[in-house]
Amino acid sequence: MVGSRSWPFVGRADVLARTVDELDAGHHVVLNGPAGLVKTRLAAEVAARFAGRRVTVHRMVASPASAPVP
């Protein structure tokens, strides 16, 4: 959840800026990596940046249980 009740998003300003810049340039972005890299929170922060800009945001989540699904 992003908003006044969430913790401040600190220490990842560079990644957030690069991600927003790539999306602003019309590129697609995939956030991947091992657990604990703040991917979910980064995605929420990026989506919040695009709120109100008439941009469609799709969120896809994978898990080991979904690995067999093509």
Side-chain angles (χ1 to χ4, degrees):
M1 179 172 132
V2 177
S4 61
R5 296 187 326 182
S6 65
W7 290 96
F9 189 69
V10 296
R12 302 273 195 245
D14 57 335
V15 176
L16 177 60
R18 280 195 322 247
T19 304
V20 170
D21 289 347
E22 288 296 319
L23 292 168
D24 277 336
H27 301 135
H28 295 88
V29 174
V30 176
L31 306 175
N32 69 340
L37 290 181
V38 196
K39 297 178 301 290
T40 301
R41 180 64 190 274
L42 174 61
E45 291 291 332
V46 170
R49 296 289 193 282
F50 285 92
R53 292 171 95 182
R54 293 188 173 171
V55 174
T56 301
V57 176
H58 296 281
R59 182 173 180 222
M60 293 178 273
V61 180
S63 69
S66 67
V69 177

